[in-house]
Amino acid sequence: MPNLVPPHGGGPLKPLLAADAEKADALAKAASLTKVPLSSRELSDLFMFGMGAYTPLDGFMDQSDWRGACVDMQLSNGLFWPIPITLSCSRDIADSIALGEEVALADEDGAVVGTLRVTEKYEIDRALECENVYRTTDEKHPGVQKVMDQGEINLAGPVVVLSEGHYPETYKGLYFRPEETRAMFEERGWSKVAAFQTRNPMHRSHEHLAKIAIEIGDGVLIHQVLGALKPGDIPADVRVKAIDVLVDNYFVDGTAVQAGYPIEMRYAGPREALLHALFRQNFGCSHLIVGRDHAGVGDYYGPFDAHHIFDTLKEGSLLTQPLKIDITFYCRKCDGMATGKTCPHGEEDRLNISGTRLREMFANHETVPAEFSRPEVVEVLQAYYDSLG
Amino acid sequence: MPNLVPPHGGGPLKPLLAADAEKADALAKAASLTKVPLSSRELSDLFMFGMGAYTPLDGFMDQSDWRGACVDMQLSNGLFWPIPITLSCSRDIADSIALGEEVALADEDGAVVGTLRVTEKYEIDRALECENVYRTTDEKHPGVQKVMDQGEINLAGPVVVLSEGHYPETYKGLYFRPEETRAMFEERGWSKVAAFQTRNPMHRSHEHLAKIAIEIGDGVLIHQVLGALKPGDIPADVRVKAIDVLVDNYFVDGTAVQAGYPIEMRYAGPREALLHALFRQNFGCSHLIVGRDHAGVGDYYGPFDAHHIFDTLKEGSLLTQPLKIDITFYCRKCDGMATGKTCPHGEEDRLNISGTRLREMFANHETVPAEFSRPEVVEVLQAYYDSLG
């Protein structure tokens, strides 16, 4: 049987979550340590460390790795890494910590979620990070904003993760760690697996993307971004139900798996597409579906920048390959689903419904066309909108 | 710019067609040589040599290469080759030829089409060839029949091809040699090109196959088997016109190219799928679409044998990869085109029209459903059937 793609770096998965037996002791000990508060992005990165999604990193990056990730997407040991994973704190907290000291990492409520042995304290050039990673220093960009708002000093060092937060409980049956998705793929005999990244219910255009991946591989991982919702977002349980009815009614048994993971989006467009592919390698996915303007926001990136960046990588940087697909839609003249690459017809033949218009249709109980969304999916979403009162 | 896949064997293309300037002299000289008549299969192989489709072979195989191709798909120099390419003659003719002698190769009308310098005369174990290549010795199998009917002695040696027969004239604008398809791909900036093999007009199921290939690559080569027609086959000019209206109306400009090539099908199923991939590599195609029962006949092969055989090859045997796709059809519940891998619904929801039934529909001027074939294609075919009177 062919094997799954190996974890990034070629070694074993490296989940940094402490074993259950050690957690109570570690938490008790952490009570006396200096507390470093985590931002929501830093906390989400800690959870990614915990589950092994950032294999083979040991913890938050030092200055040399930070610079390498920013400038040439390469750590000081030569490993490919396209976005810095860093932790910051105020100058006051940093001054109170000695090198070699172990500190406690605290979530937004002050609860200890992990520990860090501080190996380096350093200042960064924020503009350099933003220009390289986000291609802009515009503070209206939500990713840039978080870099600009972060503490003055970065702390580096290996981490031990002591909590996965509410995720395992809230997203039971959905929150799967890389070793778990790998076991699921192996159980199904899959080796060529594409990840489909989503934070929304799946309509027919998303079904089409997933089915292209199924045609050329063994199966698709419908991989949901969990975490903080934006206003108007569909809650995860409704989203899961809407995806379940789609898969149950329109996918061949055993060709799709749902899972979720705790990252906070940076909206870094092309660089983030690379990070998405990198950690999908850890989840066991040989491919990542990269659509138009993947992980983009506003007009900061060209629609295919996230496709092109994969062509610039040195051979062997990433084993997980992009499955580059243009915008998808129903076309009346094609009499079916198509993409910008397979449909020669005009906008007037294509069925496009914006998110805003779709919410309006649900609010007014208008009929959502079956060419846009499967009736079973519409029914789940209509019930949700109705429940909002 | 990424490159096209290199020719088989890693060297340059090796078309064995004599230069125009040399043909007249060579033909005059050949008049005095012993004539060896070619069967239709041998003639089609000679044309394949001529255009460079069988690169890097120099001519018809000797006994060692014949055995290697049959038994372990490997020539004596280690090169992957899945089907023997051999020439036979009667014992009388063979006895009249000395080793090292040059002989003339004649088509079914006795016209000289090439020469062969005989390096070896040998007898083969026909059952061994049939069992290995065709997986059967049943003489009702059309490929087996040709092996059983061939002359007693095989002649090996390098060939010079002096004619491409009627192909360049009859199929002007369609008959493209490997160096020509490569130039066409390069002109379009393609590197990831899938070949779609067909000997029929394209209905929506074939369009679906081609579009899956376009989604994941740069374009598709719609590659027609030219040569002898079976009763009921659509003539090439009508087929080309039917494919042209499909491409013009339903494909994005610059994503599909039509071409034809002169092989005679052996119907060797999985082994022939490998040969199809091998010479597609010479044409510059990185992929070959391999559907259900590719190159099969009757019930000699399982529907996915031609998929599975690719998994048994030693790494590096072939650079051109199979794009394995299940049976394709329109499904009412899916409300679109689908395959056995993406549609979970039953036969009762799927639109299937047999070739026999389709001909009957044209004969009776019944409406062919637009879900089965594009109206523009139906119009071309209806006009052809009407012209038969």
Side-chain angles (χ1 to χ4, degrees):
Chain A
M1 199 177 73
N3 294 321
L4 293 175
V5 68
H8 188 52
L13 283 174
K14 236 192 231 180
L16 303 182
L17 185 67
D20 279 343
E22 297 158 17
K23 271 186 202 161
D25 273 3
L27 281 169
K29 210 180 117 195
S32 60
L33 302 177
T34 298
K35 259 193 196 175
V36 176
L38 301 179
S39 72
S40 62
R41 189 197 79 197
E42 291 159 351
L43 181 64
S44 83
D45 285 337
L46 188 81
F47 292 146
M48 292 290 277
F49 281 131
M51 72 189 330
Y54 284 163
T55 296
L57 298 187
D58 286 314
F60 289 105
M61 290 182 184
D62 63 20
Q63 187 164 23
S64 158
D65 285 347
W66 165 81
R67 183 176 298 277
C70 290
V71 175
D72 57 8
M73 304 197 281
Q74 195 171 302
L75 306 186
S76 49
N77 65 2
L79 188 76
F80 171 76
W81 204 282
I83 289 187
I85 308 296
T86 56
L87 168 66
S88 72
C89 66
S90 69
R91 190 173 294 275
D92 283 352
I93 294 180
D95 284 346
S96 76
I97 301 169
L99 287 186
E101 188 177 329
E102 193 166 22
V103 298
L105 305 175
D107 69 12
E108 280 151 333
D109 300 327
V112 173
V113 287
T115 59
L116 167 78
R117 185 164 300 279
V118 179
T119 57
E120 191 180 330
K121 305 188 278 185
Y122 62 100
E123 289 185 57
I124 62 161
D125 177 346
R126 291 163 203 235
L128 182 142
E129 177 166 337
C130 292
E131 274 161 13
N132 277 277
V133 174
Y134 298 95
R135 299 188 182 180
T136 176
T137 51
D138 182 354
E139 293 202 29
K140 289 197 287 292
H141 185 297
V144 169
Q145 192 178 28
K146 295 215 169 161
V147 175
M148 293 306 183
D149 286 353
Q150 73 188 32
E152 283 173 275
I153 308 293
N154 277 4
L155 302 179
V159 303
V160 175
V161 180
L162 298 174
S163 166
E164 298 184 288
H166 67 104
Y167 288 104
E169 191 56 39
T170 307
Y171 301 110
K172 203 176 273 183
L174 190 64
Y175 184 78
F176 295 115
R177 302 165 191 91
E179 66 178 20
E180 292 168 314
T181 57
R182 287 176 168 269
M184 290 156 78
F185 301 160
E186 274 167 1
E187 196 185 301
R188 287 164 175 76
W190 292 0
S191 65
K192 201 169 168 185
V193 187
F196 173 66
Q197 148 107 12
T198 182
R199 47 180 299 121
N200 290 304
M202 290 172 72
H203 303 297
R204 285 196 63 183
S205 60
H206 311 110
E207 176 188 334
H208 187 60
L209 286 168
K211 287 188 168 176
I212 292 171
I214 291 170
E215 286 298 359
I216 63 154
D218 299 315
V220 70
L221 173 68
I222 299 170
H223 212 191
Q224 305 187 30
V225 182
L226 304 174
L229 294 181
K230 288 185 303 188
D233 274 0
I234 305 285
D237 60 328
V238 179
R239 200 163 67 198
V240 168
K241 204 170 156 194
I243 294 176
D244 273 344
V245 295
L246 177 73
V247 169
D248 288 349
N249 286 286
Y250 296 97
F251 283 67
V252 172
D253 264 3
T255 60
V257 163
Q258 276 201 65
Y261 70 104
I263 209 174
E264 179 173 299
M265 296 282 289
R266 284 165 165 82
Y267 301 102
R271 283 283 188 113
E272 189 154 2
L274 296 177
L275 185 67
H276 283 175
L278 184 158
F279 64 73
R280 259 45 174 256
Q281 190 176 322
N282 290 329
F283 280 96
C285 300
S286 59
H287 290 77
L288 171 69
I289 296 173
V290 182
R292 201 181 252 231
D293 199 25
H294 186 99
V297 63
D299 290 323
Y300 293 100
Y301 311 108
F304 297 114
D305 285 358
H307 287 183
H308 300 321
I309 198 168
F310 283 91
D311 303 329
T312 68
L313 304 185
K314 271 193 293 193
E315 178 101 19
S317 298
L318 268 180
L319 299 179
T320 293
Q321 294 298 305
L323 194 52
K324 303 172 182 176
I325 308 190
D326 201 338
I327 195 169
T328 52
F329 46 79
Y330 180 88
C331 167
R332 289 177 196 88
K333 278 205 181 138
C334 287
D335 182 34
M337 301 308 299
T339 74
K341 208 164 167 196
T342 53
C343 164
H345 308 120
E347 281 301 325
E348 69 280 8
D349 298 309
R350 298 175 180 177
L351 179 63
N352 285 314
I353 301 178
S354 71
T356 310
R357 173 74 186 110
L358 187 64
R359 281 189 292 275
E360 187 183 281
M361 293 175 89
F362 281 116
N364 301 340
H365 284 85
E366 296 175 59
T367 302
V368 176
E371 292 82 6
F372 182 82
S373 195
R374 298 293 187 185
E376 295 86 347
V377 173
V378 170
E379 193 182 327
V380 169
L381 297 179
Q382 186 67 64
Y384 162 69
Y385 282 109
D386 288 351
S387 77
L388 296 180
Chain B
M1 199 178 71
N3 295 319
L4 294 174
V5 67
H8 188 51
L13 282 174
K14 237 193 230 179
L16 303 183
L17 185 67
D20 279 344
E22 296 158 17
K23 271 186 201 162
D25 273 4
L27 282 169
K29 209 180 117 196
S32 60
L33 302 176
T34 298
K35 259 192 195 174
V36 176
L38 301 179
S39 72
S40 62
R41 190 197 78 199
E42 291 159 351
L43 181 64
S44 83
D45 285 337
L46 188 80
F47 292 145
M48 294 289 278
F49 282 131
M51 73 189 331
Y54 284 163
T55 296
L57 299 188
D58 286 314
F60 289 106
M61 290 181 184
D62 64 19
Q63 187 164 23
S64 158
D65 285 346
W66 165 79
R67 183 177 298 278
C70 289
V71 175
D72 56 9
M73 304 197 282
Q74 194 171 304
L75 307 186
S76 48
N77 65 2
L79 187 76
F80 171 75
W81 204 282
I83 289 188
I85 309 295
T86 55
L87 168 66
S88 73
C89 66
S90 68
R91 189 174 295 275
D92 283 353
I93 292 179
D95 284 346
S96 76
I97 302 169
L99 288 187
E101 189 177 326
E102 194 166 22
V103 298
L105 305 175
D107 70 12
E108 279 152 333
D109 299 326
V112 174
V113 287
T115 60
L116 167 78
R117 184 163 301 278
V118 180
T119 57
E120 191 179 328
K121 305 188 279 185
Y122 63 99
E123 289 184 56
I124 63 161
D125 178 344
R126 292 163 202 234
L128 180 142
E129 177 166 337
C130 292
E131 275 161 13
N132 278 277
V133 175
Y134 297 95
R135 298 187 182 180
T136 175
T137 51
D138 182 353
E139 293 202 28
K140 288 198 287 292
H141 185 298
V144 169
Q145 192 177 29
K146 295 216 167 157
V147 174
M148 294 305 184
D149 286 351
Q150 74 188 31
E152 283 173 274
I153 308 294
N154 276 5
L155 302 178
V159 303
V160 176
V161 180
L162 299 174
S163 166
E164 297 185 289
H166 66 104
Y167 287 103
E169 189 56 38
T170 307
Y171 301 109
K172 203 175 272 182
L174 190 65
Y175 184 79
F176 294 115
R177 302 166 192 90
E179 66 178 19
E180 293 167 314
T181 56
R182 287 177 169 268
M184 291 156 78
F185 301 160
E186 274 167 3
E187 195 184 302
R188 286 164 175 77
W190 292 0
S191 64
K192 201 169 169 187
V193 187
F196 173 66
Q197 148 108 12
T198 181
R199 47 180 299 121
N200 291 304
M202 290 172 73
H203 302 297
R204 286 195 63 182
S205 59
H206 311 110
E207 176 189 334
H208 187 60
L209 286 169
K211 286 189 168 176
I212 292 171
I214 291 170
E215 286 300 358
I216 63 155
D218 300 314
V220 70
L221 173 68
I222 299 171
H223 213 191
Q224 305 187 29
V225 182
L226 304 174
L229 295 180
K230 289 185 304 187
D233 274 1
I234 304 285
D237 59 328
V238 179
R239 201 164 66 197
V240 168
K241 204 169 154 193
I243 294 175
D244 274 343
V245 294
L246 177 73
V247 169
D248 288 348
N249 286 285
Y250 296 98
F251 284 67
V252 172
D253 264 3
T255 60
V257 163
Q258 275 202 66
Y261 70 104
I263 210 174
E264 178 173 301
M265 297 281 289
R266 285 166 164 81
Y267 300 104
R271 282 283 189 113
E272 189 154 1
L274 296 177
L275 184 67
H276 283 177
L278 183 159
F279 65 72
R280 259 46 173 256
Q281 191 176 320
N282 290 328
F283 280 97
C285 300
S286 59
H287 289 77
L288 171 69
I289 298 173
V290 182
R292 202 181 251 230
D293 199 25
H294 186 100
V297 63
D299 290 324
Y300 293 100
Y301 311 108
F304 298 114
D305 285 358
H307 287 185
H308 300 321
I309 197 168
F310 283 90
D311 303 329
T312 69
L313 304 186
K314 271 193 295 193
E315 179 102 19
S317 299
L318 267 180
L319 299 179
T320 293
Q321 294 298 304
L323 194 52
K324 303 171 181 176
I325 307 189
D326 201 339
I327 194 168
T328 53
F329 46 79
Y330 179 89
C331 167
R332 288 177 197 87
K333 278 204 181 139
C334 286
D335 183 33
M337 301 307 300
T339 74
K341 207 164 168 197
T342 53
C343 164
H345 307 121
E347 281 301 324
E348 68 282 8
D349 298 309
R350 299 175 181 178
L351 180 61
N352 284 315
I353 300 179
S354 71
T356 309
R357 172 75 186 111
L358 187 64
R359 282 189 292 275
E360 187 183 281
M361 293 175 89
F362 281 116
N364 302 339
H365 284 86
E366 295 175 58
T367 302
V368 177
E371 292 82 6
F372 182 81
S373 195
R374 298 293 187 184
E376 295 85 348
V377 173
V378 170
E379 194 182 325
V380 169
L381 298 179
Q382 186 67 63
Y384 162 69
Y385 282 108
D386 288 351
S387 76
L388 296 180

